[in-house]
Amino acid sequence: MQLEFLGTGAGSPSKQRNVASVALRLLEERNAIWLFDVGEATQHQILNTTIRPRKIEKIFITHLHGDHIFGLPGLLSSRSFQGGTEPLTIYGPVGIKRYVQTSLQVSESRLSYPLHFVEITDDGELFNDHGFRVIARKLDHKIACFGYRIEEADHPGELQVEKSREQKVPS
């Protein structure tokens, strides 16, 4: 699991810092990428990485201010052009579905993959596949805003008794 910051400039992008977007690389765990916010030009930032848009399986939007969502229609379209066929789920506050659908409709964009939406109204578990669990919590902001907690399930392991003894770990 790795985090890659694609933008940390909030509403004020600069030459060095794009607007909000973070990629969670789960390539070893599930051969997928999860994005958190998709500010304007996120797909351009992705070009400077080894991230493949077709690997993006989930997008989590914290809130509906432009610096967190204006890159979404372009990224979704590019994912289609670049061979994305697997379903993609977008999680976010109420209104994210209408925003995306309206943007795609007005631009007459067609996607080559199914798009699913989960609009959040309150705290709670959004996703649990026994490998990862995602929980949303309300945050204090001018508009509806959510933070996301990602928990990885425990993996069965084996106690290495000899190493424990060498480290003088009490039994």
Side-chain angles (χ1 to χ4, degrees):
M1 177 186 313
Q2 296 176 319
L3 279 177
E4 185 158 351
F5 294 89
L6 301 170
T8 59
S12 301
S14 68
K15 289 181 181 180
Q16 292 78 29
R17 293 177 19 163
N18 195 49
V19 293
S21 188
V22 176
L24 177 62
R25 293 170 166 269
L26 300 169
L27 296 173
E28 290 179 23
E29 296 84 354
R30 57 189 302 129
N31 196 28
I33 306 281
W34 293 357
L35 288 184
F36 294 82
D37 290 332
V38 186
E40 185 179 359
T42 294
Q43 65 177 317
H44 289 273
Q45 293 298 101
I46 287 174
L47 293 173
N48 297 318
T49 72
T50 58
I51 293 171
R52 298 293 163 251
R54 62 182 157 67
K55 296 282 187 186
I56 299 169
E57 89 175 347
K58 297 183 185 311
I59 297 175
F60 299 86
I61 301 297
T62 57
H63 63 288
L64 301 182
H65 280 153
D67 56 327
H68 294 258
I69 63 170
F70 284 164
L72 198 46
L75 176 73
L76 297 175
S77 295
S78 292
R79 183 179 186 265
S80 208
F81 299 143
Q82 295 170 7
T85 57
E86 295 298 314
L88 187 142
T89 303
I90 299 175
Y91 300 83
V94 172
I96 191 62
K97 180 177 181 177
R98 183 167 49 110
Y99 169 74
V100 170
Q101 288 180 333
T102 299
S103 298
L104 295 175
Q105 180 184 17
V106 168
S107 64
E108 296 186 19
S109 299
R110 302 285 177 260
L111 303 182
S112 59
Y113 55 89
L115 196 54
H116 305 288
F117 295 92
V118 176
E119 291 192 317
I120 308 163
T121 57
D122 211 347
D123 294 352
E125 184 176 274
L126 299 177
F127 174 79
N128 189 342
D129 71 352
H130 306 292
F132 287 90
R133 179 177 180 224
V134 179
I135 301 160
R137 293 284 185 258
K138 285 184 179 179
L139 301 177
D140 185 21
H141 198 43
K142 293 177 183 176
I143 63 174
C145 185
F146 292 89
Y148 301 100
R149 177 184 175 119
I150 295 88
E151 298 175 354
E152 187 173 8
D154 291 336
H155 298 279
E158 180 178 301
L159 180 61
Q160 297 178 350
V161 177
E162 287 306 314
K163 285 190 177 184
S164 298
R165 286 185 184 136
E166 288 171 12
Q167 300 287 322
K168 299 190 185 330
V169 174
S171 45

